[in-house]
Amino acid sequence: MILPIVGYGHPTLRKVAEPIDSNYPNIKQLVADMFETMYGADGVGLAAPQVDLPIQVIVIGVPIFNEETKEYNDTLEEHVMINPEILEAKGKEQYYNEGCLSLPGIHEDVLRPEGIVVRYLDTDFQEHTEEIHGMYARIAQHEIDHLNGKVFTDRLSPLRKAMVKRKLGDVSSGKVKTAYKMKATK
Ligand code: ZN
């Protein structure tokens, strides 16, 4: 089931999300719905607060570049993280142009470490600690920010923040049209 996505200005995007445990009802269905919502909106990641659920669940779809065909694979490499925690940054900080389904029409270069060590639970509530890099690490960091009530524009310089302020206002007042279903800001 495709879930409506909340936009910038919605209070759930600013909440610190709660960790969950194996008592959470039907986590696998929620994760399936989150992937369906992500694909339906042509995204590469989605955090539960973006579908108005302030819990620590993220889904990620990493585009994989095929060195032989010199094209991206047709399918994304799927990952799910529950209660993720970044333990360490790895490698250099790099800029990458980010967008967000909750901030339609806004794309900005964001500085983040190239890799991270992350600890998380899978959908069977088994713990994993992994060192990840590249696009996977980039998307994971963006989605983990959502669990801390942050969006990518919070990481911009004061000047760039000032420059996107009007666009953010247009999103929160519901002026920006999207091809996917959004939930009105409360
Ligand atoms: Zn986002």
Side-chain angles (χ1 to χ4, degrees):
M1 183 177 63
I2 290 184
L3 308 166
I5 294 173
V6 301
Y8 185 87
H10 192 287
T12 303
L13 281 186
R14 288 306 191 188
K15 282 184 192 154
V16 175
E18 294 287 336
I20 61 166
D21 62 24
S22 55
N23 293 316
Y24 190 85
N26 230 341
I27 184 67
K28 288 187 180 169
Q29 186 58 52
L30 172 64
V31 164
D33 289 346
M34 284 176 66
F35 271 121
E36 195 182 342
T37 303
M38 181 192 88
Y39 285 117
D42 283 333
V44 292
L46 190 72
Q50 293 182 275
V51 291
D52 205 8
L53 289 171
I55 56 169
Q56 292 192 21
V57 181
I58 61 174
V59 299
I60 293 168
V62 185
I64 301 294
F65 190 75
N66 187 320
E67 290 295 342
E68 280 177 22
T69 62
K70 301 289 175 206
E71 283 178 10
Y72 281 93
N73 291 347
D74 292 339
T75 54
L76 302 176
E77 182 188 279
E78 295 185 351
H79 299 275
V80 181
M81 294 182 185
I82 295 170
N83 306 346
E85 201 182 335
I86 296 173
L87 303 179
E88 210 182 319
K90 291 276 181 187
K92 284 192 186 147
E93 293 210 316
Q94 296 179 340
Y95 280 101
Y96 189 82
N97 197 261
E98 294 189 19
C100 179
L101 297 176
S102 294
L103 280 67
I106 302 171
H107 297 273
E108 290 287 330
D109 289 340
V110 182
L111 190 63
R112 301 185 191 270
E114 190 275 329
I116 53 170
V117 179
V118 62
R119 181 167 63 207
Y120 62 92
L121 304 177
D122 62 25
T123 54
D124 294 314
F125 293 90
Q126 297 301 304
E127 189 179 291
H128 302 266
T129 301
E130 244 185 283
E131 181 174 332
I132 63 175
H133 292 273
M135 274 299 281
Y136 183 14
R138 170 64 58 166
I139 302 167
Q141 290 178 83
H142 174 118
E143 301 311 331
I144 292 170
D145 270 357
H146 279 300
L147 304 182
N148 292 310
K150 279 197 177 137
V151 294
F152 76 89
T153 51
D154 298 342
R155 295 190 174 273
L156 301 179
S157 68
L159 175 66
R160 290 308 308 171
K161 261 187 201 158
M163 294 181 78
V164 298
K165 203 173 171 190
R166 189 184 49 80
K167 284 187 187 173
L168 287 171
D170 287 347
V171 175
S172 56
S173 58
K175 279 185 201 160
V176 180
K177 296 281 166 265
T178 51
Y180 47 91
K181 194 164 146 199
M182 289 190 81
K183 196 171 191 171
T185 298
K186 280 173 201 152

